[in-house]
Amino acid sequence: MRRLRKDRFRPLVRETEIDVKDLICPVFVDETIKVPVKISSMPGCFSFPIDMIADEAGCIADLGIPALILFGVPGEKDETGSHAFGDNDVIQEAVRAIKSETGNDIIIMTDLCLCEYTSHGHCGIVDFETHEILNDPTLDILGKTAVSHARAGADIIAPSGMMDGMVKAIRSGLDDNGFSNTPIMSYAAKYSSAFYGPFREAAKSGFSFGDRASYQMDPANGNEAMREVALDIEEGADIIMVKPAMPYLDIIYRVKKKFKMPTAAYQVSGEYAMIKAAAQNGWIDERKAMMESLISIKRAGADMILTYFAKDAAKILNE
Ligand SMILES: [Zn+2]
């Protein structure tokens, strides 16, 4: 087996390649700030004010990264997340700013959920007596929000709230409002994961009670992920996602093998932070660990990877 492992032969027999075109760059836009703010738990990542978001998108496009995904932090939060869907709210303003600056140079995906917009930090409407997250009342708001994103110019809508029936509600909302050509990338198999911790600082979306285990998936379950993905495809999802990535490589593999759909994997904030922190301590080689993590996700079957390493990895891949 060692004959072909010489440096000269390795490229010839390499089975998996990662390309800059596989990357999707998450971007945080925050209505409450005036200058870029460092996200301390995600070294190298920043939140941007609305008026600087187009420049950031331009930098990402210049690296050859084909898509970004926007997360918004609104100026005001309330119980129903009503600042998720106004035409002049943070995401809608940011999308318009990016579109007018970059045109079709980059695909604008918008994360669609209520947790950044609700005062309690949950992904849906809450019954405060029972502390239950109400599924169906949330769907109307998700549909309305998707339409507002599309109207602002979003290219792909990416619902992440794990409400049952969300893809169907969003699909019919889009279709009824003249956006039948706007694709949906569904966070189909999203696990209730401890690896989301650093993101909550960035998105200012910690929750006031409980956790998200009543709607996100149990990390112990694989077959359930197949059912979740099947439902989302049936409801009209164009791209399906597994999140997080590295602790769920088996799920990525199974999903790709079974459904053969365009499949995305989200290398989440905690996965990023672990590599960064270990590298800062001199415990691992950051560059190698980053590229190895990305190739493993690709090898498992992901067609595209949402990663906070997108810009760093693009620079290496462009070398
Ligand atoms: Zn959410």
Side-chain angles (χ1 to χ4, degrees), residues 111-116 121-124 160-161 190 212 215-216:
D111 176 82
L112 168 51
C113 196
L114 297 183
C115 48
E116 290 120 69
H122 279 287
C123 304
S160 60
K190 182 179 180 181
R212 297 194 177 120
Y215 41 102
Q216 295 177 352

Side-chain angles (χ1 to χ4, degrees), residues 41 45 64 72 89 126 129 148 191 211 221 230 246 274 289 293 314 318:
S41 53
C45 292
D89 281 325
V126 168
E129 263 170 37
S148 76
Y191 284 88
D211 59 26
N221 294 355
M246 283 248 282
M274 284 195 301
S293 68
N318 289 334

Side-chain angles (χ1 to χ4, degrees), residues 16 26-28 40 46 49 51 54-55 82 94 107 120-121 125 154 162 187 200 206 208 249 251 256 262 281 289 298:
T16 310
V27 177
F28 296 100
S40 60
F46 293 82
D51 60 3
D55 281 351
S82 60
I107 296 164
H120 44 75
I125 301 296
M162 289 296 281
Y187 290 59
R200 290 187 191 130
S208 58
L249 293 178
I251 307 299
K256 184 65 190 180
N281 277 295
K298 187 86 193 287

Side-chain angles (χ1 to χ4, degrees), residues 44 254 306:
R254 286 177 65 182
L306 297 84

Side-chain angles (χ1 to χ4, degrees), residues 67-80:
L68 60 79
I69 181 160
L70 268 183
F71 295 87
V73 179
E76 263 178 82
K77 302 183 187 226
D78 57 30
E79 283 183 4
T80 56

